Amino acid sequence: MCGIVGYIGHRDAYPIIVKGLQRLEYRGYDSAGIALYDGTDINLSKTKGKVEDLRSKSKSTISLKGSLGIGHTRWATHGVPNDVNSHPHYSNSGDLVIIHNGIIENYGSIKKALTERGYTFTSDTDTEVLVNLIEEVQKTEDVMLGQAVQIALNQVVGAYAIAVFDKKKPDEIVVAKLGSPLAIGIGENEFFIASDASPFIEFTNNAVYLKDEEMAIIRLGKEIKLRKIQNDAVAYPNILELQMNLEEIEKGGYDHFMLKEIYEQPRAILDTYRGRLLADQGLIKMVGIDQHLEKFLNANRIIIVACGTSWHAGLVAEYIFEDLARIPVEVEYASEFRYRNPVITDKDVLIAISQSGETADTLAAIKLAKEKGAFVFGVCNVVGSSIARETDAGAYTHAGPEIGVASTKAFTTQITVLTLLALKLAKEKGEFSESQFHEILTELETIPAKVEKALESNALIEIIADVYKDSPNCLYLGRGYNFPVALEGALKLKEISYIHAEGYPAAEMKHGPIALIDEHMPVIVIATKKGHYEKIVSNIQEIKSRKGKIIAIVTEGDEQVTQLADHVVEIPETSESLSPLVTTIPLQLLSYHIAVMRNCNVDQPRNLAKSVTVE
Ligand code: AGP
């Protein structure tokens, strides 16, 4: 996610844009930039770092005059965070500047075509390609900026919220939206553009939220004109009068970043497989893997190292890799692996999973493996992070910044990347027929909708949370692919509500932990249809006979467990190998609501930090 801000009106644009960018830094803070039109030319300043760094750089390098401008705070998806890759981006002529939040999937082929026509590029970004495509259309079709944007966007595949202006026509800004948010603030003879209303709520609470596939030509002194990008049909702006306050807007109207990020998971999972999962072509395309496929296929084993929630994602990956790709996998706590003098050879592949890309133990484990000759692959959420730079190759999750200390969308997007990797290797090894491969790819595409459906149980889960919010202990049970999800559910509850919780393989209960069961012990059991169902039913009966309270996560339409459990949360049916992406959702919501009811600091729990960069 990135933050975009624009202004056209009667005030100085600079202070409005810079302050607006600071309010959007929760969306991304790798780099920042601003472009201002001073009545004659465009003055542009951009820098790696935070908006504060932009403020100090721009004050000493460019004129800050002008009532037309655009600004951007970046969460890198293509191209590491540095000055050159920062937005805004000029077109080759220097007449156009653009800012963009999103991902242009087919930028490579467009860049190739533009290069053949003599265009040059200074950055590695998809955004610079887009602004030059718009320029090329403007020239070849001899059209105004609005039409050029429309024609260009009909040639791109991906997600975007863009704002672009042409210094040859400085009384307008053109914006467009598909998949990423874009709001237009409407003032008295002034317009604001932003990823959400926080940059302009102090100036106006009249706003239009563009819908997907809509664009607008914003011209001073005129009504904004909305159009459908695909067919030029006129759309009529639905002007809202916003009542939200600033803090609510930064959290997207949610009470906490954690809840917002739980609800972002359908989009985050989609963004993570966007451009990589091509189900209709029966393909998975991942540059970081395609270039090193032999390393994986010839590996003796895959070692996965991570910490905390990322370790749980690694455990899910072990089930997927061994079950589907038939590749031996072992999963290690990075903090243990780095000190236990492990046997590592150059026939090993090490996968390091880290949301922050800065976890010291994981970084140390990587360095140890590299010293021993292993090939190291990273799965990170922060582009250009230490782990991303240290690994030999990798694949980013496109979850966007995860602000809540408790990891949620990082977990599901890590599993998404690892699932794509495992499926690709399984196909390469001939473990799947074409039809089987197509079937599971098609099912993977249904996961965002299934997560959306699982989120609909939020109100029911809140009621269940109220029943158990004062429990001193809690058990989470799962089998197979959902054993790691039980561990993750327990971690979520522990770290934000401070209730002691343990995750266990359900079958392991009879080897000791069942002694803990009495009428005071809530037991959350993942009992989906496709996962050793009959066995888990027996486990539930063992607990029930000892008066344990059972909260069951079941496949919608379940009857057997529903008869036994004290509470049931239904989720859509999905295959066992993809089920962790959905079964984890109710557990995230349960821990969230219990923590809120216990007046805990959900986004910044005691004793914790978002990134553990110490050993
Ligand atoms: C998860 O909710 C925790 N915040 C924590 O366990 C986290 O997953 C762990 O510290 C690893 O962080 P990383 O993914 O950034 O490496």
Side-chain angles (χ1 to χ4, degrees):
M1 292 193 300
C2 303
I4 65 172
V5 180
Y7 177 77
I8 185 166
H10 52 81
R11 303 175 211 253
D12 282 344
Y14 177 78
I16 293 170
I17 292 172
V18 170
K19 195 173 171 188
L21 289 175
Q22 271 171 324
R23 289 182 175 156
L24 294 180
E25 274 191 313
Y26 72 89
R27 300 179 59 84
Y29 36 74
D30 292 329
S31 61
I34 189 167
L36 299 165
Y37 180 73
D38 64 7
T40 309
D41 210 344
I42 296 172
N43 299 301
L44 187 149
S45 174
K46 55 188 186 178
T47 180
K48 179 179 179 185
K50 299 178 77 91
V51 175
E52 204 41 52
D53 301 310
L54 171 67
R55 197 194 283 272
S56 39
K57 179 174 182 180
S58 54
K59 276 183 174 167
S60 58
T61 52
I62 63 167
S63 158
L64 305 181
K65 294 194 181 339
S67 298
L68 166 61
I70 53 177
H72 185 273
T73 180
R74 185 170 182 239
W75 177 264
T77 55
H78 291 81
V80 295
N82 59 24
D83 293 5
V84 167
N85 287 335
S86 312
H87 302 209
H89 287 284
Y90 278 117
S91 63
N92 270 200
S93 69
D95 291 346
L96 308 186
V97 277
I98 194 171
I99 49 176
H100 167 220
N101 171 23
I103 299 169
I104 305 295
E105 295 166 26
N106 61 335
Y107 83 101
S109 54
I110 297 171
K111 184 169 186 174
K112 186 169 177 293
L114 290 171
T115 304
E116 286 160 7
R117 295 183 187 182
Y119 283 84
T120 57
F121 297 89
T122 56
S123 79
D124 306 323
T125 66
D126 50 349
T127 307
E128 191 184 12
V129 172
L130 179 56
V131 72
N132 281 299
L133 175 62
I134 294 167
E135 177 151 283
E136 174 65 3
V137 169
Q138 236 184 349
K139 285 179 185 165
T140 52
E141 307 288 333
D142 188 22
V143 290
M144 303 299 284
L145 180 62
Q147 282 175 285
V149 168
Q150 188 171 10
I151 294 167
L153 290 178
N154 276 293
Q155 296 176 35
V156 306
V157 176
Y160 47 78
I162 61 168
V164 53
F165 72 80
D166 180 349
K167 74 176 184 182
K168 303 191 297 297
K169 192 155 180 2
D171 65 343
E172 71 177 29
I173 295 184
V174 176
V175 298
K177 180 229 192 283
L178 176 60
S180 303
L182 195 148
I184 302 171
I186 301 170
E188 288 299 319
N189 195 27
E190 60 183 357
F191 293 96
F192 306 80
I193 298 139
S195 301
D196 66 36
S198 56
F200 59 74
I201 193 76
E202 67 187 273
F203 300 105
T204 176
N205 59 359
N206 295 321
V208 171
Y209 285 80
L210 284 194
K211 299 187 187 68
D212 273 348
E213 295 175 356
E214 279 186 349
M215 64 179 286
I217 296 167
I218 302 172
R219 198 169 289 152
L220 263 189
K222 304 259 192 209
E223 295 292 310
I224 53 174
K225 283 197 303 188
L226 296 192
R227 279 195 219 153
K228 298 302 281 180
I229 296 167
Q230 264 63 359
N231 57 21
D232 209 11
V234 173
Y236 293 94
N238 173 21
I239 299 176
L240 304 176
E241 194 175 337
L242 300 177
Q243 305 304 328
M244 288 194 283
N245 64 37
L246 194 51
E247 193 195 349
E248 286 170 328
I249 289 165
E250 285 173 342
K251 290 174 184 159
Y254 293 97
D255 291 341
H256 299 95
F257 279 111
M258 180 183 177
L259 189 60
K260 176 170 176 277
E261 288 152 11
I262 289 171
Y263 274 82
E264 280 178 346
Q265 289 178 108
R267 189 264 320 146
I269 292 168
L270 173 61
D271 280 352
T272 296
Y273 71 58
R274 189 194 296 276
R276 294 165 160 168
L277 170 58
L278 308 170
D280 51 351
Q281 301 168 47
L283 281 177
I284 291 176
K285 284 170 65 178
M286 298 173 82
V287 173
I289 297 161
D290 293 336
Q291 291 168 347
H292 304 281
L293 215 44
E294 291 315 306
K295 292 281 186 191
F296 286 95
L297 296 173
N298 300 330
N300 281 346
R301 62 178 170 165
I302 292 176
I303 304 166
I304 296 177
V305 295
C307 302
T309 288
S310 299
W311 186 83
H312 296 148
L315 218 45
V316 172
E318 177 179 26
Y319 283 81
I320 299 172
F321 276 103
E322 296 216 352
D323 182 18
L324 303 184
R326 313 305 294 154
I327 297 175
V329 173
E330 64 170 75
V331 185
E332 300 259 1
Y333 282 115
S335 52
E336 284 297 309
F337 183 74
R338 63 179 292 198
Y339 292 119
R340 66 175 187 76
N341 191 23
V343 176
I344 308 169
T345 74
D346 59 3
K347 295 295 282 178
D348 290 329
V349 166
L350 184 125
I351 296 179
I353 307 169
S354 176
Q355 187 285 130
S356 62
E358 301 298 341
T359 299
D361 285 323
T362 308
L363 198 52
I366 291 166
K367 289 176 178 170
L368 174 64
K370 286 180 75 172
E371 283 162 17
K372 308 264 185 180
F375 176 76
V376 181
F377 187 86
V379 179
C380 293
N381 192 40
V382 179
V383 175
S385 56
S386 304
I387 288 175
R389 282 181 282 111
E390 189 63 34
T391 49
D392 298 312
Y396 287 117
T397 51
H398 289 309
E402 188 174 67
I403 309 295
V405 166
S407 233
T408 49
K409 62 180 182 173
F411 179 63
T412 47
T413 53
Q414 287 164 350
I415 293 173
T416 303
V417 167
L418 292 159
T419 300
L420 290 170
L421 174 52
L423 291 175
K424 186 172 182 69
L425 296 174
K427 182 72 170 51
E428 290 293 332
K429 295 182 68 209
E431 299 294 338
F432 277 119
S433 67
E434 287 299 332
S435 58
Q436 286 170 323
F437 191 61
H438 185 265
E439 188 182 333
I440 194 161
L441 296 192
T442 306
E443 186 185 352
L444 187 49
E445 280 185 325
T446 67
I447 292 298
K450 290 182 175 177
V451 170
E452 209 64 83
K453 186 87 169 62
L455 289 166
E456 290 174 9
S457 299
N458 183 49
L460 166 63
I461 293 165
E462 190 169 3
I463 293 167
I464 297 171
D466 192 42
V467 174
Y468 297 101
K469 65 181 182 296
D470 299 320
S471 305
N473 301 287
C474 206
L475 270 177
Y476 288 72
L477 304 181
R479 292 181 85 114
Y481 281 84
N482 281 298
F483 160 51
V485 179
L487 296 177
E488 171 60 13
L491 175 61
K492 288 282 101 41
L493 188 68
K494 270 185 276 208
E495 66 175 329
I496 64 173
S497 74
Y498 318 143
I499 290 174
H500 176 251
E502 281 191 83
Y504 252 91
E508 192 59 19
M509 286 298 290
K510 54 186 172 296
H511 299 285
I514 201 161
L516 293 171
I517 304 298
D518 60 19
E519 64 276 19
H520 305 298
M521 178 64 83
V523 184
I524 289 88
V525 187
I526 303 166
T528 46
K529 263 289 191 294
K530 297 273 180 75
H532 316 290
Y533 184 72
E534 291 312 322
K535 301 283 187 194
I536 209 107
V537 169
S538 314
N539 297 143
I540 290 173
Q541 285 163 335
E542 289 158 12
I543 293 159
K544 194 163 181 62
S545 61
R546 291 161 177 84
K547 301 189 180 59
K549 297 294 180 215
I550 295 157
I551 302 156
I553 311 300
V554 299
T555 304
E556 56 194 6
D558 177 284
E559 290 171 0
Q560 207 174 347
V561 171
T562 304
Q563 298 301 320
L564 295 168
D566 297 275
H567 311 274
V568 167
V569 178
E570 293 192 336
I571 61 168
E573 175 155 1
T574 187
S575 61
E576 171 73 350
S577 60
L578 301 181
S579 62
L581 289 164
V582 187
T583 55
T584 197
I585 303 303
L587 308 189
Q588 294 170 343
L589 290 170
L590 181 65
S591 60
Y592 169 78
H593 288 299
I594 288 176
V596 168
M597 291 170 186
R598 293 167 63 93
N599 298 312
C600 295
N601 184 336
V602 171
D603 285 331
Q604 292 163 345
R606 69 185 182 195
N607 312 336
L608 292 177
K610 184 58 190 169
S611 175
V612 183
T613 55
V614 295
E615 299 177 3

